[in-house]
């Protein structure tokens, strides 16, 4: 398996910068928290013992980026704290970074989006009062940041916390009746919106262990039918979501290898995209399994 993806892993390693973090593009000199966390996850998924020091330095770089309240934020915008969930996933399993993980989880548990009660005249279909997590502080909660945060706190042992239970309720409230999720709405002015494969894959990855397969069956069926023809990032998350529910396509690695090979035509992928594809290829049970599998709900 590793041989098929060795050149792409080497490309990932080459993006390390001073301090042990990872830049988002080849030749960049500045590390970002999201790309560093994704790179660490990809190298963990590869399971190559020679990468141990690279993983350790990447985690150390994330700790250096962590702000005083526990968040990881994009350097140009403190309010954009969505990389915090990725940091939690990257720190999993490291005793040295236990404090960083604990502080990040505490930040997520006390932080939420901007929520309000639904009124009869609202054109939206979802319940805006259910608390989740936003991309940016003091904005509404949406599916992907909520799913990533739920995934993070669940792998950190907080799957029964009230915030986790409410996040599950938010995701289920925003599942489309015909299956799948989009950015975070179901109906607008009475018209059902369309699902997005990337968002659906993130949601399914987070919900494993929280709901039954029956409750998300239509979403799994939608994703399984769409997977083969998807663009790289959507394909990566589709396979991760299906893998979490033991529905990984038999051709998953072939499809992912083909998307990685498209760099010869379109140019180098960003580090977050490259890493997500590698995690999808090298984590056959899904991203949560990198931190230890969760029990399925009967």
């Amino acid at each position: 398996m590793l041989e098929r993806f060795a050149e792409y892993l080497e490309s990932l390693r080459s993006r390390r910068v001073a301090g042990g973090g990872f830049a988002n593009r080849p030749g960049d000199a500045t590390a970002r928290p999201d790309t560093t966390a994704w790179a660490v996850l990809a190298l963990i998924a590869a399971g190559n013992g020679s990468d141990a020091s690279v993983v350790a330095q990447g985690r150390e770089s994330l700790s250096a980026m962590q702000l005083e309240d526990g968040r990881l934020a994009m350097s140009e915008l403190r309010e954009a704290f969505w990389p915090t969930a990725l940091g939690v996933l990257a720190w999993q399993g490291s005793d040295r970074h236990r404090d960083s993980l604990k502080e990040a989880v505490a930040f997520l548990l006390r932080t939420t989006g901007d929520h309000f009660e639904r009124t009869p005249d609202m054109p939206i279909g979802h319940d805006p009062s259910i608390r989740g997590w936003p991309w940016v502080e003091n904005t509404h909660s949406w599916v992907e940041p909520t799913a990533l945060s739920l995934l993070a706190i669940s792998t950190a042992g907080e799957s029964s916390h009230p915030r986790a239970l409410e996040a599950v309720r938010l995701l289920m409230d925003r599942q489309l009746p015909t299956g799948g999720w989009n950015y975070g709405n179901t109906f607008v002015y009475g018209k059902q919106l369309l699902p997005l494969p990337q968002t659906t894959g993130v949601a399914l990855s987070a919900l494993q262990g929280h709901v039954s397969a029956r409750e998300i069956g239509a979403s799994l069926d939608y994703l399984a039918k769409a997977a083969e023809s998807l663009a790289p990032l959507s394909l990566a998350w589709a396979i991760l979501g299906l893998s979490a529910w033991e529905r990984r396509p038999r051709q998953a690695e072939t499809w992912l290898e083909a998307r990685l090979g498209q760099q010869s035509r379109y140019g180098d992928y960003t580090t977050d995209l490259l890493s997500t594809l590698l995690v999808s290829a090298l984590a056959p049970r899904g991203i949560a399994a990198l931190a230890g599998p969760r029990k399925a709900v009967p």
Side-chain angles (χ1 to χ4, degrees):
M1 174 72 75
L2 281 180
E3 290 77 11
R4 297 176 67 176
F5 300 99
E7 66 176 290
Y8 307 115
L9 286 164
E10 190 56 37
S11 173
L12 178 61
R13 295 183 190 101
S14 72
R15 303 181 187 201
R16 292 176 66 209
V17 298
F22 287 76
N24 200 34
R25 293 184 182 276
D28 288 354
T30 303
R32 285 177 23 174
D34 56 332
T35 55
T36 299
W38 270 117
V40 167
L41 289 170
L43 294 173
I44 291 172
N48 190 332
S50 63
D51 284 325
S53 63
V54 179
V55 168
Q57 290 170 30
R59 285 167 162 165
E60 197 67 21
S61 174
L62 285 171
S63 293
M65 297 180 202
Q66 191 171 30
L67 300 184
E68 69 283 352
D69 62 358
R71 78 178 72 193
L72 284 171
M74 303 303 288
S75 60
E76 67 274 15
L77 184 64
R78 175 189 173 95
E79 292 79 8
F81 65 78
W82 58 268
T84 306
L86 297 175
V88 171
L89 294 171
W91 283 317
Q92 286 289 350
S94 173
D95 289 340
R96 179 178 175 84
H97 301 96
R98 186 180 302 168
D99 289 343
S100 293
L101 185 150
K102 183 178 179 180
E103 291 168 11
V105 169
F107 171 81
L108 289 174
L109 292 178
R110 67 174 180 265
T111 304
T112 186
D114 181 25
H115 298 282
F116 43 91
E117 295 297 322
R118 181 163 50 188
T119 60
D121 59 338
M122 284 184 177
I124 57 176
H126 72 275
D127 184 348
S129 70
I130 306 174
R131 295 181 305 165
W133 285 270
W135 291 109
V136 179
E137 197 168 17
N138 298 320
T139 62
H140 195 44
S141 295
W142 299 110
V143 168
E144 285 192 46
T146 295
L148 288 172
S149 296
L150 173 61
L151 187 62
I153 65 174
S154 295
T155 59
E158 297 288 356
S159 59
S160 298
H161 191 280
R163 289 302 311 281
L165 300 180
E166 192 166 11
V168 172
R169 190 158 67 91
L170 182 149
L171 293 176
M172 296 306 294
D173 175 72
R174 302 197 194 187
Q175 182 180 211
L176 293 165
T178 53
W181 285 261
N182 54 44
Y183 59 91
N185 207 341
T186 51
F187 291 84
V188 175
Y189 292 110
K191 300 293 185 181
Q192 182 176 314
L193 303 183
L194 296 174
L196 298 171
Q198 175 182 331
T199 316
T200 300
V202 181
L204 288 172
S205 295
L207 286 170
Q208 193 278 328
H210 289 284
V211 300
S212 67
R214 176 183 54 80
E215 294 173 272
I216 45 80
S219 297
L220 286 168
D221 291 342
Y222 153 71
L223 208 52
K225 291 176 183 176
E228 182 176 3
S229 60
L230 295 175
L233 186 58
S234 293
L235 175 66
W237 271 114
I239 291 175
L240 285 169
L242 291 168
S243 298
W245 292 88
E246 299 183 352
R247 289 193 51 180
R248 187 177 180 88
R250 286 177 296 180
Q251 294 176 285
E253 287 75 24
T254 298
W255 296 342
L256 290 162
E257 189 176 15
R259 299 305 187 279
L260 285 162
Q262 289 175 344
Q263 293 177 92
S264 62
R265 178 176 180 181
Y266 299 113
D268 291 324
Y269 291 156
T270 57
T271 301
D272 53 349
L273 173 54
L274 174 63
S275 298
T276 309
L277 285 162
L278 287 168
V279 170
S280 186
L282 300 170
R285 292 184 297 157
I287 192 169
L290 295 178
R294 288 173 286 171
K295 293 182 178 179
V297 174

Short mmCIF file of all heavy atoms in Angstrom, two decimals, residues 102-155:
data_model
loop_
_atom_site.label_atom_id
_atom_site.label_comp_id
_atom_site.label_asym_id
_atom_site.label_seq_id
_atom_site.Cartn_x
_atom_site.Cartn_y
_atom_site.Cartn_z
N LYS A 102 -5.76 18.95 25.91
CA LYS A 102 -6.75 19.24 26.97
C LYS A 102 -7.25 20.68 26.87
O LYS A 102 -8.46 20.94 26.99
CB LYS A 102 -6.13 18.98 28.33
CG LYS A 102 -7.07 19.18 29.51
CD LYS A 102 -6.37 18.86 30.82
CE LYS A 102 -7.31 19.09 32.01
NZ LYS A 102 -6.63 18.77 33.30
N GLU A 103 -6.35 21.61 26.63
CA GLU A 103 -6.74 23.03 26.53
C GLU A 103 -7.58 23.28 25.28
O GLU A 103 -8.53 24.08 25.32
CB GLU A 103 -5.49 23.90 26.52
CG GLU A 103 -4.75 23.92 27.86
CD GLU A 103 -3.37 24.55 27.76
OE1 GLU A 103 -3.08 25.15 26.69
OE2 GLU A 103 -2.59 24.43 28.72
N ALA A 104 -7.24 22.60 24.20
CA ALA A 104 -8.02 22.78 22.96
C ALA A 104 -9.42 22.20 23.12
O ALA A 104 -10.40 22.81 22.67
CB ALA A 104 -7.30 22.10 21.80
N VAL A 105 -9.54 21.04 23.75
CA VAL A 105 -10.85 20.44 23.97
C VAL A 105 -11.68 21.33 24.89
O VAL A 105 -12.88 21.57 24.64
CB VAL A 105 -10.71 19.03 24.57
CG1 VAL A 105 -12.06 18.50 25.05
CG2 VAL A 105 -10.11 18.09 23.53
N ALA A 106 -11.07 21.86 25.93
CA ALA A 106 -11.80 22.76 26.84
C ALA A 106 -12.30 23.99 26.10
O ALA A 106 -13.42 24.46 26.33
CB ALA A 106 -10.89 23.16 28.00
N PHE A 107 -11.48 24.51 25.19
CA PHE A 107 -11.92 25.66 24.39
C PHE A 107 -13.14 25.30 23.55
O PHE A 107 -14.12 26.05 23.51
CB PHE A 107 -10.78 26.14 23.49
CG PHE A 107 -11.21 27.17 22.48
CD1 PHE A 107 -11.34 28.50 22.85
CD2 PHE A 107 -11.52 26.80 21.18
CE1 PHE A 107 -11.76 29.45 21.94
CE2 PHE A 107 -11.94 27.74 20.26
CZ PHE A 107 -12.06 29.07 20.65
N LEU A 108 -13.10 24.15 22.90
CA LEU A 108 -14.23 23.74 22.07
C LEU A 108 -15.49 23.55 22.91
O LEU A 108 -16.59 23.93 22.48
CB LEU A 108 -13.89 22.46 21.31
CG LEU A 108 -12.85 22.60 20.19
CD1 LEU A 108 -12.50 21.22 19.63
CD2 LEU A 108 -13.35 23.52 19.08
N LEU A 109 -15.36 22.97 24.08
CA LEU A 109 -16.53 22.68 24.90
C LEU A 109 -17.21 23.95 25.42
O LEU A 109 -18.41 23.95 25.67
CB LEU A 109 -16.14 21.78 26.08
CG LEU A 109 -15.73 20.36 25.72
CD1 LEU A 109 -15.32 19.59 26.97
CD2 LEU A 109 -16.84 19.62 24.99
N ARG A 110 -16.45 25.03 25.55
CA ARG A 110 -17.07 26.27 26.05
C ARG A 110 -17.38 27.28 24.95
O ARG A 110 -17.87 28.37 25.23
CB ARG A 110 -16.16 26.91 27.10
CG ARG A 110 -14.85 27.45 26.59
CD ARG A 110 -14.08 28.20 27.68
NE ARG A 110 -12.81 28.71 27.17
CZ ARG A 110 -11.65 28.09 27.27
NH1 ARG A 110 -11.58 26.92 27.90
NH2 ARG A 110 -10.54 28.61 26.78
N THR A 111 -17.12 26.90 23.71
CA THR A 111 -17.30 27.82 22.59
C THR A 111 -18.42 27.33 21.69
O THR A 111 -18.56 26.13 21.45
CB THR A 111 -16.00 27.93 21.77
OG1 THR A 111 -14.94 28.33 22.63
CG2 THR A 111 -16.15 28.97 20.66
N THR A 112 -19.22 28.25 21.20
CA THR A 112 -20.29 27.88 20.30
C THR A 112 -20.49 28.99 19.27
O THR A 112 -19.81 30.02 19.31
CB THR A 112 -21.60 27.62 21.07
OG1 THR A 112 -22.59 27.13 20.17
CG2 THR A 112 -22.11 28.88 21.73
N GLY A 113 -21.42 28.75 18.36
CA GLY A 113 -21.73 29.76 17.36
C GLY A 113 -22.80 30.72 17.85
O GLY A 113 -23.19 30.72 19.02
N ASP A 114 -23.28 31.55 16.96
CA ASP A 114 -24.33 32.51 17.25
C ASP A 114 -25.67 31.84 16.91
O ASP A 114 -25.90 31.46 15.76
CB ASP A 114 -24.13 33.77 16.40
CG ASP A 114 -25.19 34.82 16.67
OD1 ASP A 114 -25.76 34.81 17.77
OD2 ASP A 114 -25.46 35.64 15.78
N HIS A 115 -26.54 31.68 17.90
CA HIS A 115 -27.77 30.94 17.70
C HIS A 115 -28.99 31.75 18.10
O HIS A 115 -28.89 32.68 18.90
CB HIS A 115 -27.72 29.61 18.47
CG HIS A 115 -26.63 28.73 17.97
ND1 HIS A 115 -26.73 28.00 16.81
CD2 HIS A 115 -25.37 28.52 18.44
CE1 HIS A 115 -25.61 27.35 16.60
NE2 HIS A 115 -24.76 27.65 17.56
N PHE A 116 -30.14 31.38 17.57
CA PHE A 116 -31.36 32.14 17.78
C PHE A 116 -32.56 31.23 17.56
O PHE A 116 -32.45 30.18 16.90
CB PHE A 116 -31.42 33.34 16.83
CG PHE A 116 -31.01 33.03 15.43
CD1 PHE A 116 -31.93 32.63 14.47
CD2 PHE A 116 -29.67 33.12 15.04
CE1 PHE A 116 -31.55 32.33 13.18
CE2 PHE A 116 -29.28 32.83 13.74
CZ PHE A 116 -30.22 32.43 12.80
N GLU A 117 -33.68 31.60 18.13
CA GLU A 117 -34.89 30.80 18.02
C GLU A 117 -35.51 30.95 16.63
O GLU A 117 -35.47 32.02 16.03
CB GLU A 117 -35.90 31.22 19.08
CG GLU A 117 -35.46 30.94 20.51
CD GLU A 117 -35.26 29.46 20.78
OE1 GLU A 117 -36.05 28.65 20.25
OE2 GLU A 117 -34.31 29.12 21.52
N ARG A 118 -36.06 29.86 16.15
CA ARG A 118 -36.73 29.89 14.86
C ARG A 118 -38.11 30.53 15.01
O ARG A 118 -38.82 30.27 15.97
CB ARG A 118 -36.86 28.48 14.28
CG ARG A 118 -37.54 28.46 12.92
CD ARG A 118 -37.30 27.17 12.17
NE ARG A 118 -37.59 25.98 12.95
CZ ARG A 118 -37.30 24.75 12.54
NH1 ARG A 118 -36.69 24.55 11.39
NH2 ARG A 118 -37.59 23.71 13.30
N THR A 119 -38.48 31.36 14.05
CA THR A 119 -39.79 31.98 14.03
C THR A 119 -40.54 31.52 12.77
O THR A 119 -39.91 31.10 11.79
CB THR A 119 -39.68 33.52 14.03
OG1 THR A 119 -38.94 33.93 12.86
CG2 THR A 119 -38.95 34.00 15.28
N PRO A 120 -41.87 31.59 12.79
CA PRO A 120 -42.65 31.08 11.65
C PRO A 120 -42.34 31.73 10.31
O PRO A 120 -42.55 31.12 9.26
CB PRO A 120 -44.10 31.35 12.08
CG PRO A 120 -44.06 31.41 13.57
CD PRO A 120 -42.73 32.03 13.90
N ASP A 121 -41.85 32.96 10.33
CA ASP A 121 -41.63 33.66 9.06
C ASP A 121 -40.23 33.44 8.49
O ASP A 121 -39.87 33.98 7.44
CB ASP A 121 -41.85 35.16 9.24
CG ASP A 121 -40.93 35.77 10.29
OD1 ASP A 121 -40.43 35.03 11.15
OD2 ASP A 121 -40.74 37.00 10.26
N MET A 122 -39.40 32.62 9.14
CA MET A 122 -38.04 32.38 8.63
C MET A 122 -38.09 31.54 7.37
O MET A 122 -38.82 30.55 7.31
CB MET A 122 -37.18 31.70 9.69
CG MET A 122 -36.70 32.61 10.79
SD MET A 122 -35.59 31.74 11.93
CE MET A 122 -35.15 33.10 13.02
N PRO A 123 -37.28 31.88 6.36
CA PRO A 123 -37.28 31.10 5.12
C PRO A 123 -36.45 29.81 5.19
O PRO A 123 -36.48 29.01 4.27
CB PRO A 123 -36.67 32.07 4.12
CG PRO A 123 -35.75 32.91 4.94
CD PRO A 123 -36.42 33.07 6.28
N ILE A 124 -35.70 29.63 6.28
CA ILE A 124 -34.78 28.50 6.37
C ILE A 124 -35.47 27.28 6.97
O ILE A 124 -36.45 27.40 7.71
CB ILE A 124 -33.54 28.86 7.20
CG1 ILE A 124 -33.93 29.32 8.61
CG2 ILE A 124 -32.72 29.92 6.49
CD1 ILE A 124 -32.75 29.60 9.52
N GLY A 125 -34.92 26.11 6.66
CA GLY A 125 -35.53 24.87 7.12
C GLY A 125 -34.93 24.30 8.38
O GLY A 125 -35.57 23.51 9.07
N HIS A 126 -33.68 24.66 8.73
CA HIS A 126 -33.06 24.06 9.90
C HIS A 126 -33.41 24.83 11.17
O HIS A 126 -33.90 25.96 11.11
CB HIS A 126 -31.54 23.98 9.72
CG HIS A 126 -30.85 25.31 9.80
ND1 HIS A 126 -30.72 26.16 8.72
CD2 HIS A 126 -30.22 25.93 10.83
CE1 HIS A 126 -30.06 27.24 9.08
NE2 HIS A 126 -29.73 27.12 10.36
N ASP A 127 -33.16 24.20 12.29
CA ASP A 127 -33.42 24.81 13.59
C ASP A 127 -32.18 25.60 14.01
O ASP A 127 -31.16 25.00 14.39
CB ASP A 127 -33.74 23.73 14.62
CG ASP A 127 -34.12 24.30 15.98
OD1 ASP A 127 -33.92 25.51 16.20
OD2 ASP A 127 -34.62 23.52 16.81
N PRO A 128 -32.22 26.93 13.95
CA PRO A 128 -31.02 27.73 14.25
C PRO A 128 -30.71 27.86 15.73
O PRO A 128 -29.71 28.49 16.08
CB PRO A 128 -31.37 29.09 13.64
CG PRO A 128 -32.85 29.17 13.75
CD PRO A 128 -33.36 27.78 13.55
N SER A 129 -31.55 27.25 16.58
CA SER A 129 -31.29 27.35 18.03
C SER A 129 -30.36 26.25 18.54
O SER A 129 -29.84 26.36 19.65
CB SER A 129 -32.62 27.29 18.79
OG SER A 129 -33.20 25.99 18.72
N ILE A 130 -30.13 25.21 17.74
CA ILE A 130 -29.28 24.11 18.19
C ILE A 130 -27.82 24.53 18.10
O ILE A 130 -27.36 24.98 17.06
CB ILE A 130 -29.52 22.85 17.36
CG1 ILE A 130 -31.01 22.49 17.34
CG2 ILE A 130 -28.71 21.68 17.93
CD1 ILE A 130 -31.34 21.33 16.40
N ARG A 131 -27.09 24.36 19.19
CA ARG A 131 -25.71 24.84 19.23
C ARG A 131 -24.74 23.86 18.58
O ARG A 131 -24.80 22.66 18.82
CB ARG A 131 -25.28 25.08 20.68
CG ARG A 131 -26.03 26.18 21.39
CD ARG A 131 -25.49 26.35 22.80
NE ARG A 131 -25.54 25.09 23.54
CZ ARG A 131 -24.88 24.86 24.69
NH1 ARG A 131 -24.09 25.81 25.18
NH2 ARG A 131 -24.99 23.70 25.30
N GLY A 132 -23.87 24.41 17.77
CA GLY A 132 -22.77 23.65 17.20
C GLY A 132 -21.53 24.52 17.22
O GLY A 132 -21.27 25.22 18.19
N TRP A 133 -20.78 24.48 16.13
CA TRP A 133 -19.57 25.31 16.03
C TRP A 133 -19.55 26.01 14.68
O TRP A 133 -19.94 25.44 13.66
CB TRP A 133 -18.32 24.46 16.18
CG TRP A 133 -18.06 24.02 17.58
CD1 TRP A 133 -17.33 24.68 18.53
CD2 TRP A 133 -18.52 22.82 18.22
NE1 TRP A 133 -17.30 23.97 19.70
CE2 TRP A 133 -18.02 22.82 19.54
CE3 TRP A 133 -19.31 21.74 17.80
CZ2 TRP A 133 -18.28 21.80 20.45
CZ3 TRP A 133 -19.58 20.71 18.69
CH2 TRP A 133 -19.07 20.75 19.99
N PRO A 134 -19.02 27.23 14.65
CA PRO A 134 -18.90 27.98 13.41
C PRO A 134 -17.50 27.88 12.82
O PRO A 134 -16.58 27.37 13.46
CB PRO A 134 -19.18 29.42 13.86
CG PRO A 134 -18.56 29.47 15.23
CD PRO A 134 -18.72 28.08 15.83
N TRP A 135 -17.35 28.38 11.60
CA TRP A 135 -16.01 28.55 11.04
C TRP A 135 -15.28 29.68 11.75
O TRP A 135 -14.08 29.59 12.03
CB TRP A 135 -16.09 28.89 9.55
CG TRP A 135 -16.58 27.79 8.66
CD1 TRP A 135 -17.78 27.74 8.01
CD2 TRP A 135 -15.89 26.60 8.29
NE1 TRP A 135 -17.88 26.58 7.27
CE2 TRP A 135 -16.73 25.87 7.42
CE3 TRP A 135 -14.64 26.07 8.61
CZ2 TRP A 135 -16.36 24.64 6.86
CZ3 TRP A 135 -14.26 24.85 8.07
CH2 TRP A 135 -15.12 24.15 7.20
N VAL A 136 -16.02 30.75 12.02
CA VAL A 136 -15.44 31.99 12.56
C VAL A 136 -16.25 32.39 13.79
O VAL A 136 -17.49 32.28 13.80
CB VAL A 136 -15.47 33.12 11.51
CG1 VAL A 136 -14.90 34.41 12.08
CG2 VAL A 136 -14.67 32.70 10.26
N GLU A 137 -15.58 32.85 14.81
CA GLU A 137 -16.21 33.22 16.07
C GLU A 137 -17.34 34.22 15.86
O GLU A 137 -17.28 35.09 14.99
CB GLU A 137 -15.14 33.83 16.99
CG GLU A 137 -15.52 33.88 18.44
CD GLU A 137 -14.32 34.22 19.31
OE1 GLU A 137 -13.31 34.73 18.79
OE2 GLU A 137 -14.40 33.96 20.53
N ASN A 138 -18.40 34.05 16.65
CA ASN A 138 -19.56 34.94 16.64
C ASN A 138 -20.34 34.90 15.33
O ASN A 138 -20.96 35.89 14.93
CB ASN A 138 -19.15 36.39 16.97
CG ASN A 138 -18.54 36.52 18.35
OD1 ASN A 138 -19.00 35.89 19.31
ND2 ASN A 138 -17.48 37.30 18.46
N THR A 139 -20.30 33.77 14.64
CA THR A 139 -21.14 33.56 13.47
C THR A 139 -21.92 32.26 13.68
O THR A 139 -21.71 31.54 14.65
CB THR A 139 -20.31 33.48 12.17
OG1 THR A 139 -19.41 32.35 12.26
CG2 THR A 139 -19.49 34.75 11.96
N HIS A 140 -22.83 31.96 12.77
CA HIS A 140 -23.72 30.81 12.94
C HIS A 140 -22.95 29.50 12.79
O HIS A 140 -21.92 29.44 12.10
CB HIS A 140 -24.83 30.90 11.89
CG HIS A 140 -26.00 30.01 12.16
ND1 HIS A 140 -26.58 29.89 13.41
CD2 HIS A 140 -26.74 29.21 11.34
CE1 HIS A 140 -27.59 29.07 13.34
NE2 HIS A 140 -27.72 28.62 12.11
N SER A 141 -23.45 28.46 13.42
CA SER A 141 -22.84 27.14 13.33
C SER A 141 -23.24 26.45 12.03
O SER A 141 -24.40 26.50 11.63
CB SER A 141 -23.27 26.28 14.51
OG SER A 141 -22.78 26.81 15.72
N TRP A 142 -22.26 25.76 11.42
CA TRP A 142 -22.51 25.07 10.16
C TRP A 142 -22.05 23.62 10.26
O TRP A 142 -21.43 23.21 11.24
CB TRP A 142 -21.82 25.80 9.01
CG TRP A 142 -22.34 27.20 8.85
CD1 TRP A 142 -21.66 28.36 9.12
CD2 TRP A 142 -23.65 27.59 8.43
NE1 TRP A 142 -22.47 29.45 8.88
CE2 TRP A 142 -23.70 29.01 8.46
CE3 TRP A 142 -24.79 26.90 8.04
CZ2 TRP A 142 -24.84 29.73 8.10
CZ3 TRP A 142 -25.92 27.61 7.68
CH2 TRP A 142 -25.94 29.01 7.71
N VAL A 143 -22.33 22.86 9.23
CA VAL A 143 -22.15 21.41 9.31
C VAL A 143 -20.68 21.03 9.46
O VAL A 143 -20.31 20.26 10.36
CB VAL A 143 -22.78 20.71 8.08
CG1 VAL A 143 -22.32 19.26 8.01
CG2 VAL A 143 -24.29 20.77 8.16
N GLU A 144 -19.80 21.50 8.58
CA GLU A 144 -18.41 21.02 8.62
C GLU A 144 -17.69 21.37 9.91
O GLU A 144 -17.07 20.49 10.53
CB GLU A 144 -17.64 21.52 7.40
CG GLU A 144 -18.00 20.78 6.13
CD GLU A 144 -17.02 21.07 5.00
OE1 GLU A 144 -15.80 21.04 5.24
OE2 GLU A 144 -17.50 21.32 3.89
N PRO A 145 -17.70 22.62 10.38
CA PRO A 145 -16.99 22.89 11.64
C PRO A 145 -17.61 22.17 12.83
O PRO A 145 -16.90 21.77 13.75
CB PRO A 145 -17.07 24.41 11.79
CG PRO A 145 -18.20 24.84 10.89
CD PRO A 145 -18.22 23.86 9.76
N THR A 146 -18.93 21.99 12.80
CA THR A 146 -19.57 21.23 13.87
C THR A 146 -19.15 19.77 13.83
O THR A 146 -18.83 19.16 14.86
CB THR A 146 -21.11 21.35 13.77
OG1 THR A 146 -21.49 22.71 14.00
CG2 THR A 146 -21.80 20.46 14.80
N ALA A 147 -19.13 19.19 12.63
CA ALA A 147 -18.73 17.79 12.50
C ALA A 147 -17.28 17.59 12.91
O ALA A 147 -16.94 16.62 13.62
CB ALA A 147 -18.96 17.32 11.07
N LEU A 148 -16.39 18.47 12.49
CA LEU A 148 -14.98 18.33 12.86
C LEU A 148 -14.79 18.47 14.36
O LEU A 148 -13.99 17.73 14.97
CB LEU A 148 -14.14 19.38 12.13
CG LEU A 148 -13.94 19.16 10.63
CD1 LEU A 148 -13.27 20.38 9.99
CD2 LEU A 148 -13.11 17.90 10.36
N SER A 149 -15.52 19.39 14.98
CA SER A 149 -15.40 19.57 16.43
C SER A 149 -15.98 18.38 17.17
O SER A 149 -15.42 17.93 18.18
CB SER A 149 -16.11 20.86 16.86
OG SER A 149 -15.47 21.99 16.30
N LEU A 150 -17.09 17.84 16.69
CA LEU A 150 -17.66 16.64 17.29
C LEU A 150 -16.69 15.47 17.17
O LEU A 150 -16.49 14.71 18.13
CB LEU A 150 -18.99 16.29 16.61
CG LEU A 150 -19.64 14.96 17.02
CD1 LEU A 150 -19.96 14.94 18.50
CD2 LEU A 150 -20.88 14.70 16.18
N LEU A 151 -16.09 15.31 16.01
CA LEU A 151 -15.09 14.26 15.80
C LEU A 151 -13.94 14.42 16.78
O LEU A 151 -13.47 13.45 17.40
CB LEU A 151 -14.60 14.34 14.36
CG LEU A 151 -13.68 13.25 13.84
CD1 LEU A 151 -14.36 11.89 13.87
CD2 LEU A 151 -13.24 13.59 12.41
N ALA A 152 -13.49 15.65 16.97
CA ALA A 152 -12.35 15.91 17.84
C ALA A 152 -12.67 15.60 19.30
O ALA A 152 -11.93 14.87 19.97
CB ALA A 152 -11.91 17.36 17.69
N ILE A 153 -13.77 16.14 19.81
CA ILE A 153 -14.06 15.93 21.23
C ILE A 153 -14.45 14.48 21.51
O ILE A 153 -14.21 13.97 22.60
CB ILE A 153 -15.13 16.91 21.76
CG1 ILE A 153 -16.49 16.68 21.10
CG2 ILE A 153 -14.67 18.35 21.59
CD1 ILE A 153 -17.60 17.55 21.69
N SER A 154 -15.03 13.80 20.52
CA SER A 154 -15.38 12.39 20.71
C SER A 154 -14.14 11.52 20.83
O SER A 154 -14.05 10.63 21.69
CB SER A 154 -16.26 11.90 19.56
OG SER A 154 -17.50 12.58 19.55
N THR A 155 -13.15 11.76 19.96
CA THR A 155 -11.92 10.98 20.05
C THR A 155 -11.13 11.33 21.31
O THR A 155 -10.28 10.54 21.74
CB THR A 155 -11.02 11.22 18.81
OG1 THR A 155 -10.69 12.60 18.71
CG2 THR A 155 -11.72 10.77 17.55
#
